[in-house]
Amino acid sequence: MKPETLPPLDVETLWRLCLHVVRQRRLGKAPQDGPALTWEASQGFTLGDEWSAEAGELFSLVKPLLDRTHGSAPWVLGQLGQSLNGCIATRGGDANYINGAEVLLHLHRLRALSDAVIVGAATAALDNPQLTTRRVEGDNPVRVVIDPSLRVPPSSKVFSDHAAPTLLVCDAEREAEAADRVGADQVLGVPRLTGSDGIVDVRAMQAALAGRGLRVLFVEGGGVTVSHFMRQGCMDRLHLSIAPVVIGDGRPGLSLPQDLSMGDCARPPCRLYRMGGDVLWDLDLRASAASDGMASTST
Ligand SMILES: NC(=O)c1ccc[n+]([C@@H]2O[C@H](COP(=O)([O-])OP(=O)(O)OC[C@H]3O[C@@H](n4cnc5c(N)ncnc54)[C@H](OP(=O)(O)O)[C@@H]3O)[C@@H](O)[C@H]2O)c1
């Protein structure tokens, strides 16, 4: 039942509620352990009159992250911002300004609601990102760089700016070498992480991260990394933001190996959100089309 004393929710109020829920989770507390305006209270709301339209949209987008409880199984949200023709950057690796400011703000919100933000070695090397929550109120997640070949420069911001804890993930066999580069406290060596094919076993990495208390994982890119998570069945949700731009011969987004007939291709349940000039597809990679209130789109 909706408590009558609570004011209508605008985005600012909702965001404070989100941060409260996530801080409780990170501290290992149930949401109801906290002060007023708890998660439990929020359950009384519906996405109706009491919410601004913007707050309602934000809530439905981030609810899956808020639903995670301390100690629950690893859960993964991926994201890619891409052009109309499916590229996430130019061939040379420039991904700036594909998406507009609204999508950027959304990425920072997702970082703030996750335990860890993960990028592949190419993104860390080419973009030299900070991976912080500087555009929103909220705590930085742990920054994770998948760098099995140890090619990301130790001078990169993530390893040198001390803005948030950072972990370079590599095979345990190269842990000492990695520690020499970026310091032992910034290395997570995982036994049998890489097979003879050079592919990182995403589940082994997830288990190692869970051992550090990192279970709600935000995979921010690039395309190779997100694709590996999907191929190995390790992604629960994907936010695909499509911008009205065409990039000639750029770096690909999703790349999956199957050559299936059209009828066998995945058609995950999804919702659409306008983000400025971009369109965000929220894809539920676990649910069947009939569940979770999501409808498959059709043309
Ligand atoms: N538009 C966007 O949303 C967005 C987001 C992020 C990045 N980007 C852009 O994307 C480009 C980089 O993306 P990318 O797809 O080329 O590369 P990427 O995903 O950033 O990094 C791929 C590399 O990470 C390592 N890696 C990650 N997961 C692995 C796995 N499961 N198995 C084996 N190796 C794994 C490998 O490093 P080694 O090859 O060293 O072994 C692999 O080559 C940059 O230009 C960046 O600007 C765009």
Side-chain angles (χ1 to χ4, degrees):
M1 211 171 66
K2 187 178 88 60
E4 286 180 0
T5 49
L6 291 178
L9 281 186
D10 55 17
V11 165
E12 220 169 272
T13 313
L14 173 63
W15 185 244
R16 282 202 301 275
L17 172 64
C18 293
L19 293 180
H20 169 70
V21 170
V22 168
R23 284 177 182 142
Q24 296 291 100
R25 183 187 77 217
R26 287 178 180 171
L27 288 170
K29 293 182 184 170
Q32 61 268 25
D33 295 343
L37 205 59
T38 61
W39 179 239
E40 206 169 68
S42 82
Q43 298 293 292
F45 286 101
T46 55
L47 299 179
D49 292 339
E50 294 86 356
W51 301 62
S52 71
E54 210 189 336
E57 283 220 330
L58 176 61
F59 180 72
S60 65
L61 255 177
V62 301
K63 184 175 182 302
L65 290 128
L66 303 177
D67 284 342
R68 305 301 120 199
T69 52
H70 181 75
S72 61
W75 188 87
V76 179
L77 167 68
Q79 88 81 36
L80 287 172
Q82 66 179 50
S83 66
L84 292 170
N85 58 326
C87 297
I88 58 160
T90 62
R91 179 58 41 193
D94 185 1
N96 281 321
Y97 309 118
I98 292 184
N99 295 113
E102 288 83 352
V103 171
L104 218 52
L105 176 70
H106 180 61
L107 294 192
H108 283 233
R109 282 185 176 140
L110 295 180
R111 289 175 186 171
L113 300 181
S114 304
D115 297 337
V117 55
I118 299 177
V119 294
T123 295
L126 285 164
D127 292 1
N128 195 13
Q130 297 173 68
L131 303 177
T132 60
T133 57
R134 61 198 177 280
R135 285 174 183 258
V136 295
E137 189 194 338
D139 302 324
N140 290 320
V142 173
R143 305 178 292 191
V144 174
V145 180
I146 307 175
D147 188 13
S149 317
L150 307 187
R151 65 160 144 137
V152 179
S155 58
S156 300
K157 287 176 187 158
V158 285
F159 297 129
S160 61
D161 68 5
H162 307 293
T166 303
L167 291 172
L168 182 162
V169 173
C170 64
D171 198 284
E173 285 185 354
R174 302 196 68 174
E175 188 170 354
E177 200 183 332
D180 282 345
R181 289 168 63 84
V182 301
D185 57 329
Q186 297 203 100
V187 176
L188 179 59
V190 182
R192 292 173 299 284
L193 179 74
T194 330
S196 53
D197 53 5
I199 304 292
V200 165
D201 180 342
V202 173
R203 281 182 204 282
M205 180 179 71
Q206 278 181 316
L209 291 173
R212 300 279 186 110
L214 307 174
R215 292 186 172 82
V216 180
L217 308 178
F218 175 39
V219 185
E220 197 168 304
V224 169
T225 301
V226 169
S227 299
H228 275 303
F229 270 82
M230 279 192 70
R231 286 180 193 193
Q232 295 181 37
C234 293
M235 189 161 284
D236 295 278
R237 209 128 183 151
L238 178 64
H239 286 183
L240 208 56
S241 302
I242 299 177
V245 60
V246 177
I247 299 175
D249 190 28
R251 288 183 182 243
L254 280 183
S255 162
L256 302 171
Q258 301 99 324
D259 179 19
L260 301 174
S261 65
M262 208 47 224
D264 292 328
C265 291
R267 228 177 251 277
C270 56
R271 283 199 183 109
L272 274 185
Y273 296 83
R274 288 299 302 262
M275 295 232 164
D278 302 331
V279 175
L280 184 148
W281 291 82
D282 176 16
L283 304 165
D284 187 341
L285 305 177
R286 295 283 184 229
S288 70
S291 64
D292 201 29
M294 278 194 163
S296 283
T297 54
S298 57
T299 52

